[in-house]
């Protein structure tokens, strides 16, 4: 769930596009609240499915997609017709629309970043941000490696760039904050914990070993906190 809130990289271009910083911050805050509500809704309608999956009451219960399992749950709880309830359909449809609606936002912010920060002309920036990604997806969507590419790019890129890098930059400003009488110890601890957690998730995805993930978590925690302790 944490990785579904990985939109920190959109904050700088969003702030630059907004008339006021406060408007951008309010938009990000409202987005967090809306997605939190949607995830809660999906979790509430999906929780009853867990017991049916364990007992083998759902046909196709080996599917690992929660949304698919909710739809399949109609075979157990939906009555004679075996259809999911209207509440299930509403929650899944609303959640699906929310994820699709985020795609144009990312395309717009990517184009703005290419034009304003990278100095790319508007037409090449439009092609790179709005056309090329769709072409790549259309050509590789059914490929065997596509799912693995999405999962690993999310773990290796989105995780660190959205959660670890902003905190690391904040830690690097400790000298500036110290001049203002502020401390950065809490930020350092949060940075170490998040970076170690992301590393542990990657480790358990590769090795499927909780012990190795735990060892890596401890090692990253110690390695990331050691420089701050020396200072």
């Amino acid at each position: 769930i944490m990785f579904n809130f990985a939109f920190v990289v959109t904050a700088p271009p969003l702030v630059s596009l907004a008339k006021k910083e406060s408007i951008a911050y309010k938009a990000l805050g409202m987005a967090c609240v809306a997605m939190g509500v949607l995830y809660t809704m999906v979790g509430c309608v999906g929780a009853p499915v867990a017991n049916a999956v364990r007992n083998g009451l759902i046909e196709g219960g080996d599917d690992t997609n929660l949304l698919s399992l909710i739809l399949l749950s109609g075979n157990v709880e939906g009555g004679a017709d075996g259809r999911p309830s209207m509440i299930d359909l509403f929650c899944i449809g609303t959640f699906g629309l929310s994820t699709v609606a985020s795609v144009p936002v990312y395309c717009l912010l990517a184009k703005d970043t290419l034009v304003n920060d990278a100095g790319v002309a508007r037409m090449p920036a439009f092609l790179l941000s709005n056309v090329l990604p769709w072409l790549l997806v259309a050509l590789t969507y059914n490929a065997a490696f596509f799912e693995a590419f999405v999962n690993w790019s999310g773990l290796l890129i989105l995780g660190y760039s959205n959660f670890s890098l902003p905190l690391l930059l904040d830690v690097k400003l400790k000298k500036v904050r110290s001049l203002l009488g502020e401390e950065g110890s809490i930020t350092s601890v949060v940075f170490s914990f998040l970076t170690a957690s992301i590393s542990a998730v990657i480790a358990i995805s590769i090795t499927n070993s909780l012990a190795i993930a735990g060892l890596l978590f401890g090692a990253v925690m110690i390695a990331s906190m050691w420089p701050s302790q020396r200072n």
Side-chain angles (χ1 to χ4, degrees):
I1 294 176
M2 182 180 71
F3 287 96
N4 289 281
F5 290 88
F7 52 80
V8 178
V9 291
T10 65
L14 184 62
V15 171
S16 65
L17 284 174
K19 294 182 179 180
K20 295 181 180 179
E21 287 189 16
S22 59
I23 297 177
Y25 297 148
K26 288 180 181 179
L28 289 174
M30 292 175 63
C32 289
V33 172
M35 290 308 299
V37 171
L38 289 173
Y39 275 109
T40 302
M41 291 169 54
V42 173
C44 288
V45 299
V49 180
N51 189 43
V53 172
R54 294 192 194 98
N55 296 329
L57 300 178
I58 296 181
E59 183 180 353
D62 55 342
D63 194 332
T64 58
N65 189 305
L66 177 59
L67 302 182
S68 299
L69 291 175
I70 294 174
L71 293 176
L72 291 171
S73 66
N75 295 328
V76 177
E77 301 174 353
D81 57 0
R83 296 178 182 178
S85 65
M86 291 300 298
I87 296 178
D88 293 346
L89 294 176
F90 172 78
C91 293
I92 293 176
T94 305
F95 182 81
L97 289 175
S98 68
T99 56
V100 173
S102 65
V103 175
V105 176
Y106 276 98
C107 293
L108 176 62
L109 295 179
K111 177 186 175 183
D112 181 75
T113 302
L114 289 172
V115 172
N116 296 329
D117 297 334
V120 180
R122 290 190 174 276
M123 182 54 67
F126 173 79
L127 295 176
L128 289 173
S129 60
N130 290 264
V131 178
L132 181 61
W134 291 103
L135 288 177
L136 293 177
V137 170
L139 294 174
T140 61
Y141 182 76
N142 291 322
F145 65 88
F146 182 78
E147 183 178 357
F149 171 77
V150 172
N151 291 335
W152 284 107
S153 63
L155 285 173
L156 297 176
I157 299 176
L158 290 181
Y160 292 114
S161 63
N162 279 276
F163 298 111
S164 297
L165 183 59
L167 291 172
L168 178 61
L169 295 175
D170 188 59
V171 170
K172 293 298 182 181
L173 294 174
K174 184 164 61 174
K175 292 183 179 180
V176 177
R177 292 197 304 274
S178 63
L179 295 176
L180 300 175
E182 301 177 6
E183 296 293 335
S185 58
I186 296 179
T187 303
S188 300
V189 173
V190 175
F191 162 73
S192 300
F193 179 78
L194 284 176
T195 304
S197 300
I198 296 170
S199 303
V201 171
I202 295 174
I204 202 170
S205 299
I206 297 175
T207 63
N208 199 27
S209 172
L210 187 60
I212 295 177
L215 290 173
L216 182 61
F217 177 87
V220 174
M221 280 286 293
I222 295 173
S224 58
M225 293 186 67
W226 178 254
S228 62
Q229 292 296 329
R230 289 192 305 171
N231 293 332

